[in-house]
């Protein structure tokens, strides 16, 4: 396994032709923890982020936990205008309530501290972000679609009547 530009090149035992490899297109490949490729400082494996406690930076208040991570690549597969998605997103479950999820862009300005060993992430959202970035995840034809709910009292509906991401 090696990284070439931004693509992983993987050799799989028993697969010798392009036709055999094509049968795995879209499949998830699992790697033993000890065989994981080394990552650079500031890079993280999604599985290491999911479940981390989320606290407010500078205040220490516990607000929830990372429920999921949507990579830029995952997000751009399911939207009409991929150029509008610039970053990976953390899905944060507020106060262990599965109905209360928010998306926070995974950028240094909003997520200044990721402490895998300390089992927490500190976020510094601008005022109102946690109110505006509520998520409804709707599964249509097997593909996830993300919709952002507008905060109460706001407008900005798309032509379908939803703020769409």
């Amino acid at each position: 396994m090696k990284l070439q530009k931004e693509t992983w090149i993987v050799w799989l035992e028993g697969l010798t032709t392009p036709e055999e490899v094509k049968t795995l297109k879209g499949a998830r490949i699992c790697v033993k923890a000890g065989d994981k490729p080394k990552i650079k400082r500031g890079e993280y494996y999604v599985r290491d982020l999911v479940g981390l406690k989320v606290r407010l930076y500078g205040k220490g208040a516990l607000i929830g936990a990372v429920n999921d991570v949507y990579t830029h690549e995952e997000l751009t597969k399911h939207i009409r205008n991929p150029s509008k998605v610039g970053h990976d997103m953390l899905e944060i479950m507020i106060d262990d309530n599965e109905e209360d999820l928010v998306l926070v862009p995974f950028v240094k300005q909003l997520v200044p501290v990721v402490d895998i060993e300390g089992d927490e992430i500190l976020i510094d959202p601008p005022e109102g972000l946690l109110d505006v970035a509520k998520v409804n995840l709707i599964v249509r034809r097997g593909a996830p679609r993300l919709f952002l709910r507008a905060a109460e009292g706001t407008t900005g509906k798309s032509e379908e009547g939803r703020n769409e991401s």
Side-chain angles (χ1 to χ4, degrees):
M1 172 171 22
K2 71 177 184 177
L3 184 61
Q4 186 173 8
K5 296 186 182 174
E6 293 187 12
T7 302
W8 285 100
I9 307 297
V10 179
W11 290 267
L12 300 172
E13 188 175 314
L15 300 178
T16 57
T17 69
E19 292 75 25
E20 291 173 321
V21 173
K22 277 185 183 178
T23 64
L24 295 177
K25 184 176 181 177
R28 182 172 288 201
I29 298 175
C30 298
V31 177
K32 292 179 184 176
D35 294 336
K36 289 190 298 188
K38 301 287 184 221
I39 56 177
K40 298 175 190 165
R41 185 174 183 199
E43 294 180 334
Y44 307 95
Y45 287 107
V46 168
R47 63 175 270 173
D48 294 337
L49 297 172
V50 173
L52 293 180
K53 292 183 224 98
V54 178
R55 296 184 182 279
L56 291 177
Y57 182 76
K59 296 179 179 133
L62 179 65
I63 63 163
V66 176
N67 190 57
D68 206 345
V69 178
Y70 299 102
T71 65
H72 178 265
E73 292 78 18
E74 290 173 311
L75 291 169
T76 57
K77 283 181 193 176
H78 304 294
I79 61 173
R80 285 182 238 139
N81 190 348
S83 64
K84 291 186 177 186
V85 177
H87 305 285
D88 299 340
M89 303 290 272
L90 297 176
E91 181 184 77
I92 299 171
M93 183 186 312
I94 305 298
D95 297 327
D96 290 327
N97 180 352
E98 292 179 5
E99 300 294 317
D100 202 0
L101 303 170
V102 295
L103 288 178
V104 174
F106 192 29
V107 295
K108 187 73 171 169
Q109 297 87 343
L110 300 178
V111 186
V113 178
V114 176
D115 183 359
I116 302 293
E117 291 78 27
D119 195 36
E120 70 180 10
I121 289 179
L122 303 180
I123 66 169
D124 191 15
E127 191 169 330
L129 178 69
L130 299 180
D131 298 322
V132 173
K134 303 279 183 187
V135 176
N136 281 335
L137 181 59
I138 300 171
V139 178
R140 275 194 204 150
R141 297 186 195 123
R145 295 284 311 246
L146 298 174
F147 294 97
L148 298 180
R149 291 190 305 234
E152 289 183 33
T154 63
T155 60
K157 294 180 180 177
S158 71
E159 51 194 277
E160 294 179 6
R162 296 185 180 114
N163 285 343
E164 190 170 338
S165 173

